[in-house]
Amino acid sequence: MSSSLCLELPENSPRYVVLSYELQHPDGRKSYPLVLINWAPSSSEISMMTLHASALLNFQNTADVSKVIEVRDGAEGLTQEIVEAKLLHK
């Protein structure tokens, strides 16, 4: 996962990020699934988290994304290994 993406995301405010992610499968195939990163740092204000959570399903449907990865622990939770494990159901 790009460290520049983590640098762009705020430490204390939730965000949605939609990515076309290059995924290498164990059998050698490549795919490019659309992934919704639900960036929701635990240090965010409760009111912001409530508003953000209430809009998640609508945003997911509007973006037509089936894969959602929730990140609550900052950049440590948004590594290439974590994203690929979630996408490959490891």
Side-chain angles (χ1 to χ4, degrees), residues 10-15 38-45 49 71-74:
E11 293 180 17
N12 299 315
S13 183
R15 295 287 189 268
N38 180 18
W39 179 264
S42 56
S43 59
S44 300
E45 292 180 23
M49 292 290 282
V71 179
R72 292 190 158 280
D73 47 0

PDB file of all heavy atoms in Angstrom, residues 10-15 38-45 49 71-74:
ATOM      1  N   PRO A  10      -6.173  12.061   7.077  1.00  0.00           N
ATOM      2  CA  PRO A  10      -6.069  12.714   8.375  1.00  0.00           C
ATOM      3  C   PRO A  10      -6.027  11.707   9.525  1.00  0.00           C
ATOM      4  O   PRO A  10      -6.635  10.639   9.449  1.00  0.00           O
ATOM      5  CB  PRO A  10      -7.332  13.582   8.450  1.00  0.00           C
ATOM      6  CG  PRO A  10      -8.297  12.909   7.544  1.00  0.00           C
ATOM      7  CD  PRO A  10      -7.481  12.265   6.460  1.00  0.00           C
ATOM      8  N   GLU A  11      -5.321  12.062  10.580  1.00  0.00           N
ATOM      9  CA  GLU A  11      -5.190  11.179  11.738  1.00  0.00           C
ATOM     10  C   GLU A  11      -6.434  11.165  12.617  1.00  0.00           C
ATOM     11  O   GLU A  11      -6.636  10.221  13.373  1.00  0.00           O
ATOM     12  CB  GLU A  11      -3.991  11.601  12.588  1.00  0.00           C
ATOM     13  CG  GLU A  11      -2.663  11.395  11.911  1.00  0.00           C
ATOM     14  CD  GLU A  11      -1.498  11.825  12.777  1.00  0.00           C
ATOM     15  OE1 GLU A  11      -1.685  11.989  14.011  1.00  0.00           O
ATOM     16  OE2 GLU A  11      -0.403  12.007  12.235  1.00  0.00           O
ATOM     17  N   ASN A  12      -7.248  12.213  12.546  1.00  0.00           N
ATOM     18  CA  ASN A  12      -8.371  12.355  13.476  1.00  0.00           C
ATOM     19  C   ASN A  12      -9.717  12.556  12.799  1.00  0.00           C
ATOM     20  O   ASN A  12     -10.630  13.108  13.396  1.00  0.00           O
ATOM     21  CB  ASN A  12      -8.111  13.525  14.437  1.00  0.00           C
ATOM     22  CG  ASN A  12      -6.869  13.302  15.257  1.00  0.00           C
ATOM     23  OD1 ASN A  12      -6.646  12.224  15.783  1.00  0.00           O
ATOM     24  ND2 ASN A  12      -6.044  14.325  15.359  1.00  0.00           N
ATOM     25  N   SER A  13      -9.842  12.106  11.556  1.00  0.00           N
ATOM     26  CA  SER A  13     -11.081  12.323  10.837  1.00  0.00           C
ATOM     27  C   SER A  13     -11.323  11.172   9.861  1.00  0.00           C
ATOM     28  O   SER A  13     -10.419  10.797   9.117  1.00  0.00           O
ATOM     29  CB  SER A  13     -10.999  13.650  10.079  1.00  0.00           C
ATOM     30  OG  SER A  13     -12.205  13.931   9.434  1.00  0.00           O
ATOM     31  N   PRO A  14     -12.534  10.608   9.849  1.00  0.00           N
ATOM     32  CA  PRO A  14     -12.815   9.488   8.955  1.00  0.00           C
ATOM     33  C   PRO A  14     -12.930   9.923   7.493  1.00  0.00           C
ATOM     34  O   PRO A  14     -13.307  11.053   7.196  1.00  0.00           O
ATOM     35  CB  PRO A  14     -14.142   8.941   9.475  1.00  0.00           C
ATOM     36  CG  PRO A  14     -14.776  10.061  10.202  1.00  0.00           C
ATOM     37  CD  PRO A  14     -13.678  10.934  10.712  1.00  0.00           C
ATOM     38  N   ARG A  15     -12.608   8.992   6.601  1.00  0.00           N
ATOM     39  CA  ARG A  15     -12.675   9.244   5.158  1.00  0.00           C
ATOM     40  C   ARG A  15     -13.020   7.942   4.442  1.00  0.00           C
ATOM     41  O   ARG A  15     -12.782   6.856   4.944  1.00  0.00           O
ATOM     42  CB  ARG A  15     -11.335   9.729   4.607  1.00  0.00           C
ATOM     43  CG  ARG A  15     -10.872  11.069   5.118  1.00  0.00           C
ATOM     44  CD  ARG A  15     -11.686  12.198   4.513  1.00  0.00           C
ATOM     45  NE  ARG A  15     -11.148  13.496   4.822  1.00  0.00           N
ATOM     46  CZ  ARG A  15     -11.487  14.238   5.856  1.00  0.00           C
ATOM     47  NH1 ARG A  15     -12.366  13.794   6.708  1.00  0.00           N
ATOM     48  NH2 ARG A  15     -10.962  15.420   6.046  1.00  0.00           N
ATOM     49  N   ASN A  38     -12.355   2.148   4.253  1.00  0.00           N
ATOM     50  CA  ASN A  38     -13.123   2.910   5.234  1.00  0.00           C
ATOM     51  C   ASN A  38     -12.143   3.339   6.325  1.00  0.00           C
ATOM     52  O   ASN A  38     -11.868   2.621   7.271  1.00  0.00           O
ATOM     53  CB  ASN A  38     -14.247   2.042   5.820  1.00  0.00           C
ATOM     54  CG  ASN A  38     -15.073   2.793   6.830  1.00  0.00           C
ATOM     55  OD1 ASN A  38     -15.060   4.006   6.873  1.00  0.00           O
ATOM     56  ND2 ASN A  38     -15.785   2.059   7.666  1.00  0.00           N
ATOM     57  N   TRP A  39     -11.576   4.518   6.144  1.00  0.00           N
ATOM     58  CA  TRP A  39     -10.577   5.070   7.053  1.00  0.00           C
ATOM     59  C   TRP A  39     -11.325   5.704   8.225  1.00  0.00           C
ATOM     60  O   TRP A  39     -11.990   6.721   8.061  1.00  0.00           O
ATOM     61  CB  TRP A  39      -9.750   6.116   6.304  1.00  0.00           C
ATOM     62  CG  TRP A  39      -8.685   6.801   7.082  1.00  0.00           C
ATOM     63  CD1 TRP A  39      -8.781   8.010   7.700  1.00  0.00           C
ATOM     64  CD2 TRP A  39      -7.349   6.350   7.297  1.00  0.00           C
ATOM     65  NE1 TRP A  39      -7.588   8.338   8.289  1.00  0.00           N
ATOM     66  CE2 TRP A  39      -6.691   7.325   8.050  1.00  0.00           C
ATOM     67  CE3 TRP A  39      -6.656   5.201   6.921  1.00  0.00           C
ATOM     68  CZ2 TRP A  39      -5.362   7.196   8.438  1.00  0.00           C
ATOM     69  CZ3 TRP A  39      -5.339   5.090   7.303  1.00  0.00           C
ATOM     70  CH2 TRP A  39      -4.699   6.069   8.049  1.00  0.00           C
ATOM     71  N   ALA A  40     -11.259   5.061   9.379  1.00  0.00           N
ATOM     72  CA  ALA A  40     -12.017   5.529  10.548  1.00  0.00           C
ATOM     73  C   ALA A  40     -11.144   5.461  11.788  1.00  0.00           C
ATOM     74  O   ALA A  40     -11.291   4.562  12.627  1.00  0.00           O
ATOM     75  CB  ALA A  40     -13.275   4.693  10.718  1.00  0.00           C
ATOM     76  N   PRO A  41     -10.198   6.397  11.931  1.00  0.00           N
ATOM     77  CA  PRO A  41      -9.288   6.365  13.077  1.00  0.00           C
ATOM     78  C   PRO A  41     -10.046   6.413  14.404  1.00  0.00           C
ATOM     79  O   PRO A  41     -11.017   7.165  14.541  1.00  0.00           O
ATOM     80  CB  PRO A  41      -8.430   7.615  12.903  1.00  0.00           C
ATOM     81  CG  PRO A  41      -8.624   8.057  11.503  1.00  0.00           C
ATOM     82  CD  PRO A  41      -9.958   7.552  11.072  1.00  0.00           C
ATOM     83  N   SER A  42      -9.605   5.621  15.351  1.00  0.00           N
ATOM     84  CA  SER A  42     -10.280   5.580  16.651  1.00  0.00           C
ATOM     85  C   SER A  42     -10.165   6.906  17.398  1.00  0.00           C
ATOM     86  O   SER A  42     -10.915   7.155  18.332  1.00  0.00           O
ATOM     87  CB  SER A  42      -9.731   4.431  17.502  1.00  0.00           C
ATOM     88  OG  SER A  42      -8.332   4.547  17.646  1.00  0.00           O
ATOM     89  N   SER A  43      -9.255   7.770  16.966  1.00  0.00           N
ATOM     90  CA  SER A  43      -9.090   9.076  17.612  1.00  0.00           C
ATOM     91  C   SER A  43     -10.060  10.129  17.071  1.00  0.00           C
ATOM     92  O   SER A  43     -10.044  11.277  17.528  1.00  0.00           O
ATOM     93  CB  SER A  43      -7.648   9.559  17.426  1.00  0.00           C
ATOM     94  OG  SER A  43      -7.341   9.650  16.051  1.00  0.00           O
ATOM     95  N   SER A  44     -10.924   9.750  16.138  1.00  0.00           N
ATOM     96  CA  SER A  44     -11.894  10.692  15.570  1.00  0.00           C
ATOM     97  C   SER A  44     -12.977  11.024  16.588  1.00  0.00           C
ATOM     98  O   SER A  44     -13.279  10.232  17.485  1.00  0.00           O
ATOM     99  CB  SER A  44     -12.568  10.082  14.336  1.00  0.00           C
ATOM    100  OG  SER A  44     -11.627   9.771  13.355  1.00  0.00           O
ATOM    101  N   GLU A  45     -13.583  12.193  16.429  1.00  0.00           N
ATOM    102  CA  GLU A  45     -14.698  12.591  17.294  1.00  0.00           C
ATOM    103  C   GLU A  45     -15.867  11.639  17.090  1.00  0.00           C
ATOM    104  O   GLU A  45     -16.132  11.191  15.971  1.00  0.00           O
ATOM    105  CB  GLU A  45     -15.163  14.007  16.955  1.00  0.00           C
ATOM    106  CG  GLU A  45     -14.173  15.089  17.297  1.00  0.00           C
ATOM    107  CD  GLU A  45     -14.717  16.468  16.934  1.00  0.00           C
ATOM    108  OE1 GLU A  45     -15.953  16.636  16.849  1.00  0.00           O
ATOM    109  OE2 GLU A  45     -13.888  17.355  16.732  1.00  0.00           O
ATOM    110  N   MET A  49     -17.636  10.106  13.639  1.00  0.00           N
ATOM    111  CA  MET A  49     -17.676   8.662  13.396  1.00  0.00           C
ATOM    112  C   MET A  49     -19.109   8.194  13.145  1.00  0.00           C
ATOM    113  O   MET A  49     -19.347   7.348  12.285  1.00  0.00           O
ATOM    114  CB  MET A  49     -17.069   7.901  14.576  1.00  0.00           C
ATOM    115  CG  MET A  49     -15.585   8.111  14.729  1.00  0.00           C
ATOM    116  SD  MET A  49     -14.641   7.343  13.428  1.00  0.00           S
ATOM    117  CE  MET A  49     -14.675   5.663  13.986  1.00  0.00           C
ATOM    118  N   VAL A  71     -10.223   0.449   8.324  1.00  0.00           N
ATOM    119  CA  VAL A  71      -8.944   0.760   8.965  1.00  0.00           C
ATOM    120  C   VAL A  71      -9.224   1.692  10.127  1.00  0.00           C
ATOM    121  O   VAL A  71      -9.697   2.813   9.940  1.00  0.00           O
ATOM    122  CB  VAL A  71      -7.967   1.431   7.963  1.00  0.00           C
ATOM    123  CG1 VAL A  71      -6.654   1.757   8.650  1.00  0.00           C
ATOM    124  CG2 VAL A  71      -7.748   0.543   6.758  1.00  0.00           C
ATOM    125  N   ARG A  72      -8.939   1.221  11.347  1.00  0.00           N
ATOM    126  CA  ARG A  72      -9.158   2.026  12.544  1.00  0.00           C
ATOM    127  C   ARG A  72      -7.863   2.423  13.234  1.00  0.00           C
ATOM    128  O   ARG A  72      -7.849   3.323  14.060  1.00  0.00           O
ATOM    129  CB  ARG A  72     -10.026   1.258  13.550  1.00  0.00           C
ATOM    130  CG  ARG A  72     -11.444   1.051  13.087  1.00  0.00           C
ATOM    131  CD  ARG A  72     -12.275   0.501  14.232  1.00  0.00           C
ATOM    132  NE  ARG A  72     -13.674   0.748  14.044  1.00  0.00           N
ATOM    133  CZ  ARG A  72     -14.295   1.889  14.295  1.00  0.00           C
ATOM    134  NH1 ARG A  72     -13.624   2.918  14.724  1.00  0.00           N
ATOM    135  NH2 ARG A  72     -15.586   2.012  14.110  1.00  0.00           N
ATOM    136  N   ASP A  73      -6.778   1.723  12.905  1.00  0.00           N
ATOM    137  CA  ASP A  73      -5.534   1.953  13.635  1.00  0.00           C
ATOM    138  C   ASP A  73      -4.465   2.678  12.826  1.00  0.00           C
ATOM    139  O   ASP A  73      -3.282   2.448  12.984  1.00  0.00           O
ATOM    140  CB  ASP A  73      -4.996   0.639  14.198  1.00  0.00           C
ATOM    141  CG  ASP A  73      -4.992  -0.486  13.179  1.00  0.00           C
ATOM    142  OD1 ASP A  73      -5.405  -0.250  12.031  1.00  0.00           O
ATOM    143  OD2 ASP A  73      -4.566  -1.591  13.533  1.00  0.00           O
ATOM    144  N   GLY A  74      -4.895   3.560  11.945  1.00  0.00           N
ATOM    145  CA  GLY A  74      -3.965   4.394  11.196  1.00  0.00           C
ATOM    146  C   GLY A  74      -3.176   3.632  10.152  1.00  0.00           C
ATOM    147  O   GLY A  74      -3.586   2.565   9.696  1.00  0.00           O
TER     148      GLY A  74
END
